[in-house]
Amino acid sequence: MRRFTSPLEPSIGVRHYLLGLVGILIGVYFLGGSLMRILVLANLPAGETLDSLTNVQSLFSKNEFFSLNMIPFALGVLTIVFCSRLIFKRSFKTFLTARPRFDFARFFFSFGLWSILMLVSFFINFIDFNHHLIWNFQCEHFFYLLLLAVILVPIQTGFEEILFRGFLLQLVGKVTQKGIYLILINGILFCALHLMNPEIATLGIPAVVYYIVSGIFTSFIAVMDDGIELSWGFHLANNLFGIIIVTNNWQVIQTDALFMDVSPPAFGWDIYVTMFLFYPLMILVFWLVYRWKNWNKVLL
């Protein structure tokens, strides 16, 4: 197994990763959650209490609520940086890639490839079902959203990729040297993080399957490519599309995107195309471009 998924430092053991995981949870849930709570309390109307509040989002504009939800991710990244120095005594880069430096060419290639595939899917969907897509452009809100998204979404997706495809992938790599086990376990853990998202309650088991398959896909390309550049670029393009281009009224965060999808919550054909056509197609492209070799050695 290569250095990215199983660090060479023999002194770094499972206990270091578990201690780091505790630190990350404190940063995300305690510090991030406390800061969000303070901001919510500061915006409560006179005479209102947090217990009597039924809808936190009503206290903020969509852009403000979007920014509020990004706070834990920013603190999560800072916590991982802190843990890399204090606990692991090594560079933060070792949670990103095994290459001498982060490969931005890989990152932007993956970002661009997935953006193109999503736009193709969106265009087909718009032609066939345009009565479900409503033009939602609001100049006074959209450009503010665009600025926030460009700054904050790389942090949000970066934290998830560093945590799952970097930190946790290396932790599991301390227990098993089989890449296939790393990939499957990581995909399940990625789904577990999103079980509280409203789309899980709305769509049920199909949404769970989608998160697991997406987690397996991103873990696979991280293991094969020995870094998170490709998975992070994909993840960033995916989330930016759902924040800037198309939104709906039942996903975890609603924004002032260009289009509003008013169709009833459903697991549409585009999701199946994503899982069973686009994901394999991206793996094929990455394999051809980056000349992945020794599949059996890496996976088994």
Side-chain angles (χ1 to χ4, degrees):
M1 185 59 63
R2 294 177 287 181
R3 183 164 63 91
F4 176 69
T5 51
S6 184
L8 291 175
E9 300 92 329
S11 60
I12 301 296
V14 172
R15 68 184 186 279
H16 294 88
Y17 286 94
L18 295 178
L19 182 60
L21 185 59
V22 171
I24 294 169
L25 293 176
I26 290 174
V28 173
Y29 291 103
F30 179 73
L31 298 179
S34 297
L35 183 53
M36 290 178 68
R37 184 182 179 88
I38 291 171
L39 293 173
V40 170
L41 290 173
N43 283 273
L44 279 176
E48 185 84 64
T49 65
L50 198 58
D51 292 333
S52 63
L53 187 66
T54 57
N55 185 11
V56 174
Q57 190 168 352
S58 64
L59 299 176
F60 304 93
S61 69
K62 287 184 178 180
N63 284 334
E64 290 172 342
F65 190 69
F66 166 67
S67 302
L68 182 72
N69 279 273
M70 295 297 107
I71 290 175
F73 300 105
L75 289 174
V77 173
L78 292 176
T79 304
I80 295 177
V81 173
F82 178 77
C83 290
S84 68
R85 293 296 185 180
L86 184 67
I87 299 175
F88 296 91
K89 311 293 185 185
R90 56 186 171 93
S91 171
F92 173 65
K93 181 196 73 70
T94 60
F95 291 113
L96 306 179
T97 184
R99 283 170 275 276
R101 61 182 60 84
F102 188 84
D103 192 335
F104 283 98
R106 274 175 155 82
F107 174 84
F108 285 113
F109 179 76
S110 180
F111 177 89
L113 178 60
W114 187 238
S115 296
I116 292 171
L117 291 175
M118 282 193 299
L119 287 172
V120 170
S121 177
F122 172 76
F123 182 72
I124 295 173
N125 190 45
F126 183 79
I127 292 175
D128 290 343
F129 307 104
N130 58 2
H131 54 285
H132 290 317
L133 291 170
I134 298 176
W135 180 247
N136 189 53
F137 177 69
Q138 302 173 58
C139 182
E140 67 276 17
H141 300 304
F142 176 76
F143 290 108
Y144 183 33
L145 169 66
L146 183 62
L147 177 62
L148 290 173
V150 169
I151 296 173
L152 298 177
V153 179
I155 296 174
Q156 178 254 319
T157 53
F159 168 72
E160 291 191 10
E161 289 305 313
I162 296 165
L163 174 63
F164 284 95
R165 262 62 72 176
F167 186 89
L168 290 178
L169 205 63
Q170 293 182 9
L171 169 58
V172 178
K174 284 292 183 179
V175 180
T176 175
Q177 294 296 299
K178 289 186 180 294
I180 189 65
Y181 294 159
L182 292 174
I183 293 166
L184 293 176
I185 293 172
N186 206 266
I188 294 171
L189 291 175
F190 182 72
C191 174
L193 177 72
H194 295 84
L195 286 178
M196 298 303 294
N197 285 9
E199 51 262 36
I200 296 292
T202 303
L203 299 176
I205 296 300
V208 173
V209 173
Y210 171 73
Y211 275 116
I212 291 176
V213 172
S214 296
I216 289 174
F217 165 70
T218 46
S219 300
F220 178 85
I221 59 178
V223 168
M224 291 302 302
D225 202 55
D226 222 9
I228 70 169
E229 292 96 338
L230 297 179
S231 62
W232 189 358
F234 158 83
H235 200 163
L236 177 59
N238 190 74
N239 285 25
L240 280 177
F241 190 88
I243 289 170
I244 295 175
I245 307 299
V246 183
T247 189
N248 55 54
N249 58 6
W250 50 268
Q251 67 185 21
V252 63
I253 296 178
Q254 289 87 49
T255 64
D256 294 304
L258 291 176
F259 291 89
M260 173 69 72
D261 185 350
V262 296
S263 61
F267 204 73
W269 64 267
D270 52 327
I271 304 299
Y272 291 103
V273 169
T274 293
M275 291 192 296
F276 301 114
L277 177 60
F278 286 171
Y279 285 173
L281 178 61
M282 289 189 71
I283 290 173
L284 176 62
V285 172
F286 291 149
W287 170 54
L288 293 174
V289 172
Y290 299 114
R291 302 177 184 276
W292 290 342
K293 299 178 181 179
N294 301 321
W295 288 54
N296 288 341
K297 182 179 179 181
V298 174
L299 297 178
L300 304 176

